[in-house]
């Protein structure tokens, strides 16, 4: 990419961001990737959430909701620290007594690095909405496996000029844990089903093989393997950049990456596999505003009625 191309990309991110904030759809902050949301955003989000929920009813998922925090002991059993260290959100707090508090206040008064006097708690921020499920289902699955509906707040530390790359966002996921065959079939069904849903609200979407943003040199090999095995697909749409589409839904087969660490087995004692489809709720809402305009009143009637806005 030339410098001129890079500038054009940043310009199109800033253009969309400015329009969203000017229209009151997003509320800006001093940190890149951190936004509040206005009424129009919230109404579209809620309408979209109802459509996503309805699309999943055919599988009769078990409804679960979790806080945006995960026990650290569960987090370290996944390979997240190895694969995505740059995206981690670890919760630290002050664990000292009066003497340490006085030192902390002195550092603060001196404009010093006060946060180095905090210690890690037993909590990390949830990086993907399906993560809290696996520790709760250790053991033997029923015949046919289990299927879940989760909506959760996720955190990834990646500030960006792109308003579609938020540091905190919601994923509405459907998750299946079962045999290798049932997990793959679930992923493939949702690859089709999610695109039908996105087209029904006026988004031009396509699917493509993708990889997770694995860190560093070792990560490049993990990414190549993931692509080679076609484990991850993304449903993409145009949001800010007409030259490069944005992933709005991801359809993943985790194989045994999340079942072995938590001892999850199939009804006949085999190692279970898991798969999930994650609707990137904020990204889909932004794709809708980018596509249909900043004024909800001017959106095509058909899509407003689908979304109930
Ligand atoms: Zn997931």
């Amino acid at each position: 990419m030339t410098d001129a191309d890079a500038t054009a990309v940043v310009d199109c991110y800033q253009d969309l961001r400015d329009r969203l904030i000017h229209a009151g759809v997003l509320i800006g902050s001093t940190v890149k990737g951190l936004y509040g949301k206005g009424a129009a955003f919230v109404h579209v989000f809620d309408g979209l959430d109802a459509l996503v929920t309805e699309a999943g009813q055919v599988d009769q998922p078990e409804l679960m909701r979790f806080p945006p925090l995960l026990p650290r002991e569960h987090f370290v059993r996944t390979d997240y620290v190895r694969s995505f260290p740059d995206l981690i959100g670890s919760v630290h707090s002050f664990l000292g007594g009066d003497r340490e508090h006085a030192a902390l206040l002195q550092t603060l008064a001196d404009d010093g690095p006060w946060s180095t006097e905090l210690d890690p708690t037993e909590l990390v921020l949830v990086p993907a909405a399906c993560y809290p499920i696996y520790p709760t289902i250790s053991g033997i699955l029923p015949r046919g496996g289990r299927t879940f509906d989760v909506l959760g707040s996720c955190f990834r530390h990646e500030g960006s000029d792109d308003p579609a790359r938020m540091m905190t966002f919601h994923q509405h996921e459907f998750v299946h844990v079962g045999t290798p065959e049932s997990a793959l079939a679930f992923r493939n069904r949702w690859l089709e089903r999610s695109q039908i849903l996105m087209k029904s609200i006026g988004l031009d979407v396509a699917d493509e093989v993708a990889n997770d943003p694995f860190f560093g040199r070792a990560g490049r090999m993990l990414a190549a393997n993931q692509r080679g095995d076609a484990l991850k697909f993304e449903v993409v749409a145009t949001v800010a950049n007409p030259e490069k589409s944005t992933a709005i839904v991801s359809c993943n087969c985790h194989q045994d990456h999340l079942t072995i660490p938590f001892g999850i087995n199939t009804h006949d004692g085999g190692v279970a596999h898991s798969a999930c489809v994650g609707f990137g709720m904020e990204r889909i809402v932004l794709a809708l505003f980018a596509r249909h305009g900043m004024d909800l009143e001017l959106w095509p009637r058909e899509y407003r009625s689908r979304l109930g806005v």
Side-chain angles (χ1 to χ4, degrees), residues 223-244:
N225 291 343
Q226 192 182 31
R227 280 180 173 269
D229 293 341
L231 294 177
K232 182 182 187 74
F233 282 86
E234 287 174 339
V235 174
V236 299
T238 297
V239 184
N241 184 355
E243 304 291 320
K244 189 176 182 303

Side-chain angles (χ1 to χ4, degrees), residues 254-292:
H254 314 123
Q255 296 181 315
D256 56 15
H257 287 300
L258 293 161
T259 47
I260 285 184
F262 298 103
I264 305 168
N265 292 98
T266 55
H267 70 280
D268 56 3
V271 171
H273 279 205
S274 64
C276 71
V277 54
F279 289 84
M281 298 297 288
E282 277 80 358
R283 286 190 175 181
I284 299 171
V285 173
L286 294 187
L288 288 166
F289 279 100
R291 168 84 184 174
H292 301 314

Side-chain angles (χ1 to χ4, degrees), residues 128-131 134 150 171 173-175 250 252 254 258 275-278:
C130 65
Y131 269 42
Y134 308 104
V150 283
Q171 285 179 335
E173 289 202 31
F174 296 100
V175 185
S250 70
N252 310 290
H254 314 123
L258 293 161
C276 71
V277 54

Side-chain angles (χ1 to χ4, degrees), residues 114-137:
W114 62 272
S115 58
T116 58
E117 306 197 19
L118 303 181
D119 288 303
T121 66
E122 65 277 48
L123 299 167
V124 295
L125 298 174
V126 169
C130 65
Y131 269 42
I133 293 176
Y134 308 104
T136 72
I137 58 168

Side-chain angles (χ1 to χ4, degrees), residues 23-284:
V25 176
L26 291 183
I27 301 160
S29 81
T30 55
V31 174
K32 276 184 189 181
L34 186 66
Y35 298 94
K37 288 115 180 199
F41 188 106
V42 173
H43 293 146
V44 175
F45 184 104
D46 290 348
L48 172 66
D49 195 49
L51 290 178
V52 171
T53 299
E54 182 188 297
Q57 290 316 297
V58 59
D59 295 324
Q60 297 184 296
E62 300 174 49
L63 187 67
M64 287 187 177
R65 295 292 182 262
F66 294 93
L69 298 161
L70 198 61
R72 189 177 295 268
E73 59 169 310
H74 292 153
F75 183 71
V76 297
R77 280 201 237 166
T78 71
D79 58 6
Y80 206 87
V81 179
R82 191 173 326 134
S83 297
F84 314 105
D86 51 330
L87 304 181
I88 293 174
S90 174
V91 179
H92 288 51
S93 190
F94 176 70
L95 307 181
D98 283 334
R99 184 200 302 247
E100 292 81 9
H101 188 210
L104 172 72
L105 293 182
Q106 188 58 54
T107 309
L108 187 64
D110 296 342
D111 230 359
W114 62 272
S115 58
T116 58
E117 306 197 19
L118 303 181
D119 288 303
T121 66
E122 65 277 48
L123 299 167
V124 295
L125 298 174
V126 169
C130 65
Y131 269 42
I133 293 176
Y134 308 104
T136 72
I137 58 168
S138 295
I140 307 284
L141 293 167
R143 189 181 288 271
R146 291 175 71 179
T147 302
F148 305 94
D149 168 331
V150 283
L151 166 67
S153 176
C154 308
F155 175 86
R156 293 178 195 171
H157 189 245
E158 48 176 356
S160 166
D161 291 311
D162 181 357
R165 192 168 288 281
M166 294 185 179
M167 283 202 285
T168 174
F169 54 92
H170 294 81
Q171 285 179 335
H172 195 147
E173 289 202 31
F174 296 100
V175 185
H176 176 76
V177 190
T179 63
E181 296 75 25
S182 71
L184 190 60
F186 179 85
R187 195 280 308 271
N188 292 340
R189 272 202 306 281
W190 271 107
L191 188 54
E192 284 213 29
R193 208 184 270 167
S194 60
Q195 291 183 77
I196 292 168
L197 178 56
M198 293 300 102
K199 286 176 183 163
S200 81
I201 46 178
L203 295 179
D204 286 329
V205 291
D207 63 73
E208 49 189 48
V209 174
N211 60 267
D212 287 308
F214 296 105
F215 183 79
R217 194 186 312 172
R220 283 200 285 280
M221 206 167 72
L222 292 172
N225 291 343
Q226 192 182 31
R227 280 180 173 269
D229 293 341
L231 294 177
K232 182 182 187 74
F233 282 86
E234 287 174 339
V235 174
V236 299
T238 297
V239 184
N241 184 355
E243 304 291 320
K244 189 176 182 303
S245 43
T246 298
I248 56 172
V249 181
S250 70
C251 299
N252 310 290
C253 214
H254 314 123
Q255 296 181 315
D256 56 15
H257 287 300
L258 293 161
T259 47
I260 285 184
F262 298 103
I264 305 168
N265 292 98
T266 55
H267 70 280
D268 56 3
V271 171
H273 279 205
S274 64
C276 71
V277 54
F279 289 84
M281 298 297 288
E282 277 80 358
R283 286 190 175 181
I284 299 171

